[in-house]
Amino acid sequence: EIGSFEGRSAVFMGELDNVKEVTCVDSFEGSDEHKDINFDLVYKNCSQNLKQLNKSCNLIKNTSHNFFKNNNKKFNVIYIDASHFYDDVKKDFINSMNCLTEGGILICDDFFWFFYEKIEQNPIIAILECYENYKRDLEILFINNQIIFKKLKSL
């Protein structure tokens, strides 16, 4: 999970029987839409929430860019819900594709989220541009506030 906040979605996924390990990456610094939030408390809550799971949990307090730069693991499911700014969403999508297994699922949250006045700064534009570049390797499984892709082959 890229962008974990308090880890509630990671706990939800981690409770599934077929999930063996959960990795959460978050800078716990917030972004433009998080003006008055105590991120020390958010990090503490995330740590506590992940302890509920009876499986391996990796909580990484870092930027997604640094995580991907140092990552050598492959993942079956990646959930992107970190920075909602165009450049960050695009980097997270591309980096996720590089470490997603064949048949893996890529979930992009906040597909129809429009915080920034300029449409081109919002997640939808980055996601659509990335899909255009990877569409031969992806199948769209679901579109609503989230868009879910299945990776068809290894790049």
Side-chain angles (χ1 to χ4, degrees), residues 134-150:
Y134 289 101
K135 67 182 175 185
R136 71 183 180 282
D137 303 312
L138 292 170
E139 175 185 356
I140 297 173
L141 301 177
F142 178 82
I143 300 176
N144 201 319
N145 290 323
Q146 297 177 329
I147 185 166
I148 303 175
F149 302 98
K150 179 177 182 180

Side-chain angles (χ1 to χ4, degrees), residues 38-70:
N38 177 344
F39 275 90
D40 290 333
L41 180 59
V42 171
Y43 176 74
K44 180 182 173 188
N45 290 343
C46 185
S47 296
Q48 288 298 111
N49 288 336
L50 292 175
K51 287 178 183 175
Q52 297 175 40
L53 295 174
N54 292 326
K55 51 190 72 171
S56 176
C57 291
N58 305 302
L59 178 57
I60 300 165
K61 188 175 184 179
N62 206 335
T63 64
S64 58
H65 175 73
N66 286 337
F67 168 76
F68 282 120
K69 187 168 53 173
N70 298 308

